[in-house]
């Protein structure tokens, strides 16, 4: 039996019924059929995410403040302000304080929902991010969804029919996705499909005067979403193929075949479900890399998302915007990992019961 570390109590199954808040010794005396780990499991995951978040934000804040240059370097190089004016501006922006003190001031403001004011535009960072987050979610979400819809079925078919034509096609797509860099593929697609063939626009999110036109939006979305999705497709194909192929060699699959079950039922109902955990892991782990790749993709296609905002903030040393975007990306990754852990608990009964 596994006890709640705080209260020494647990949720148990006894004769098909659920009892909560039961002491460990009493649970053993009742002859519990199993221990539900949902609440302690979620609490542990949430508790582990907090120090990770604090560590990541502190490291990023320290590194950007130690980097050469600063928010006032452009003004200093232009000679438009005197040294005394620059010093006064530095004090008013709080840049004269030690890095550790500034970090905790920023963290305190963040806990109150204040992301700060942009040094470059004097706008609220939360407003700037809110204006860019939907285009980024649209781009990365489309890339992930397309990669899942194409990669997972191709991986299942490759495992079911190894060394077939479908298997060779899947291997070729995996090779392309793993070997071609995002920036090169973006430039290649722009040159061939947009400049030469004129099938797609070269950049932007919508054409001039076409605001609100769904078809025009999808037309602009096609190329950058394809670039964002091509690398994950290769990973999904490889992981799905290897996981399903391993499960198909298990003894219970042979038993299912001997009972006369059809191949479709065996593959989809038995093999695929038992191969889901490594597949879900691969999908979750690709999200941070997809967000990182979207930074380059958005810059090349002039897509008005979080990635292009991050590049602009870095070049201008706009610390509040950099930290705001870092908090967003860190939050997305931590939430994705949390959802992954909860999916583990839903897919694998061994995580629920011990």
């Amino acid at each position: 039996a596994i006890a709640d570390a705080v209260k020494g109590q647990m949720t148990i199954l006894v004769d098909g019924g659920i009892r909560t808040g039961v002491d460990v010794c009493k649970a053993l005396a009742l002859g519990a059929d199993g221990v539900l780990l949902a609440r302690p499991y979620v609490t542990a995951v949430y508790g582990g995410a907090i120090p990770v978040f604090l560590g990541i934000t502190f490291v990023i804040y320290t590194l950007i403040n130690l980097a050469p240059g600063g928010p006032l370097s452009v003004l200093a190089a232009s000679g438009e302000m005197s040294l005394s004016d620059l010093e006064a501006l530095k004090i008013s922006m709080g840049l004269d304080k030690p890095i550790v003190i500034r970090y905790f001031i920023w963290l305190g403001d963040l806990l109150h929902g204040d992301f700060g004011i942009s040094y470059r535009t004097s706008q609220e960072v939360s407003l700037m991010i809110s204006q860019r987050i939907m285009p980024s979610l649209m781009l990365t979400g489309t890339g992930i969804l397309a990669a899942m819809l194409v990669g997972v079925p191709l991986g299942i078919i490759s495992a079911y029919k190894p060394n077939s034509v479908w298997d060779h096609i899947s291997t070729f797509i995996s090779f392309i996705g793993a070997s071609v860099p995002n920036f090169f593929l973006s430039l290649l697609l722009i040159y061939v499909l947009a400049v030469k063939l004129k099938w797609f626009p070269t950049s932007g999110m919508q054409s001039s005067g076409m605001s609100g036109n769904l078809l025009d939006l999808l037309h602009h979305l096609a190329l950058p979403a394809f670039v964002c999705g091509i690398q994950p497709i290769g990973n999904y194909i490889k992981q799905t193929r290897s996981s399903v192929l391993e499960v198909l060699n298990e003894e219970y699959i042979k038993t299912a075949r001997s009972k006369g079950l059809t191949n479709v039922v065996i593959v989809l109902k038995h093999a695929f479900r038992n191969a889901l955990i490594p597949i879900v892991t691969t999908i979750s782990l690709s999200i941070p890399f997809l967000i990182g790749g979207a930074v380059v993709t958005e810059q090349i296609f002039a897509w008005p998302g979080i990635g292009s905002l991050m590049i602009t903030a870095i070049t201008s040393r706009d610390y509040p915007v950099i930290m705001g975007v870092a908090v967003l990306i860190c939050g997305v990754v931590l939430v994705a990992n949390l959802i992954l852990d909860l999916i583990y608990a839903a897919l694998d009964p061994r995580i629920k019961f011990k």
Side-chain angles (χ1 to χ4, degrees):
I2 299 178
D4 188 316
V6 178
K7 298 181 179 179
Q9 297 176 346
M10 59 176 63
T11 301
I12 64 172
L13 293 178
V14 179
D15 298 328
I18 298 178
R19 296 191 184 183
T20 60
V22 181
D23 183 79
V24 179
C25 296
K26 187 177 179 181
L28 295 176
L30 289 172
D33 300 317
V35 180
L36 294 180
L37 300 179
R39 287 189 301 177
Y41 189 70
V42 175
T43 303
V45 173
Y46 268 116
I50 295 174
V52 172
F53 175 81
L54 294 176
I56 292 174
T57 54
F58 179 75
V59 169
I60 294 175
Y61 194 91
T62 303
L63 290 178
I64 62 175
N65 280 272
L66 293 178
L72 305 178
S73 58
V74 177
L75 295 175
S78 64
E80 297 177 356
M81 300 182 67
S82 62
L83 293 178
S84 59
D85 292 336
L86 287 173
E87 188 64 26
L89 184 58
K90 181 179 180 180
I91 293 174
S92 66
M93 296 170 67
L95 298 176
D96 58 320
K97 298 181 177 65
I99 294 177
V100 176
I101 301 298
R102 278 187 278 157
Y103 169 76
F104 283 105
I105 293 175
W106 170 85
L107 184 62
D109 293 338
L110 179 66
L111 294 177
H112 289 86
D114 183 8
F115 283 75
I117 304 296
S118 170
Y119 294 156
R120 184 175 59 89
T121 65
S122 298
Q123 289 182 309
E124 292 185 3
V125 175
S126 57
L127 177 61
M128 297 175 66
I129 292 177
S130 65
Q131 293 172 344
R132 300 290 193 105
I133 190 169
M134 285 309 297
S136 282
L137 290 177
M138 187 185 306
L139 177 60
T140 56
T142 304
I144 292 178
L145 182 61
M148 291 172 56
L149 293 177
V150 175
V152 174
L154 282 178
I156 295 175
I157 295 173
S158 299
Y160 177 60
K161 296 181 177 180
N163 300 319
S164 63
V165 175
W166 284 106
D167 192 16
H168 294 312
I169 293 175
S170 302
T171 303
F172 176 75
I173 296 176
S174 300
F175 175 77
I176 295 297
S179 60
V180 179
N182 280 354
F183 72 90
F184 176 78
L185 182 60
S186 300
L187 296 175
L188 180 64
L189 292 177
I190 290 175
Y191 179 74
V192 175
L193 299 181
V195 176
K196 290 297 184 180
L197 299 177
K198 301 186 184 302
W199 290 353
F200 296 95
T202 57
S203 61
M205 186 173 171
Q206 285 188 322
S207 301
S208 178
M210 300 290 287
S211 179
N213 190 308
L214 180 59
L215 292 179
D216 184 68
L217 175 61
L218 296 176
H219 196 208
H220 283 76
L221 178 65
L223 290 185
F226 176 82
V227 172
C228 285
I230 189 65
Q231 188 173 12
I233 282 179
N235 295 332
Y236 299 167
I237 290 175
K238 290 187 294 184
Q239 186 60 63
T240 304
R241 183 185 186 278
S242 62
S243 299
V244 174
L245 198 59
E246 181 180 356
V247 173
L248 286 175
N249 293 322
E250 296 290 341
E251 293 297 328
Y252 63 87
I253 297 295
K254 297 177 182 178
T255 303
R257 286 199 178 101
S258 66
K259 290 183 177 181
L261 295 179
T262 63
N263 289 328
V264 174
V265 173
I266 292 174
V267 172
L268 297 182
K269 186 176 180 180
H270 297 282
F272 179 60
R273 179 170 182 178
N274 287 283
L276 268 178
I277 286 185
I279 297 172
V280 170
T281 303
T282 303
I283 294 174
S284 174
L285 293 178
S286 67
I287 292 177
F289 297 100
L290 190 58
I291 295 174
V295 174
V296 178
T297 306
E298 288 180 7
Q299 191 71 9
I300 294 176
F301 285 95
W303 189 266
I306 295 294
S308 57
L309 178 64
M310 172 67 101
I311 295 295
T312 304
I314 291 175
T315 55
S316 60
R317 298 294 191 273
D318 198 344
Y319 296 159
V321 176
I322 295 175
M323 290 305 302
V325 176
V327 167
L328 175 65
I329 295 177
C330 179
V332 169
V333 173
L334 291 177
V335 169
N337 289 334
L338 172 62
I339 294 175
L340 172 66
D341 291 331
L342 297 179
I343 291 176
Y344 280 165
L347 293 178
D348 193 344
R350 292 170 298 181
I351 296 178
K352 283 184 178 179
F353 307 98
K354 276 197 179 288

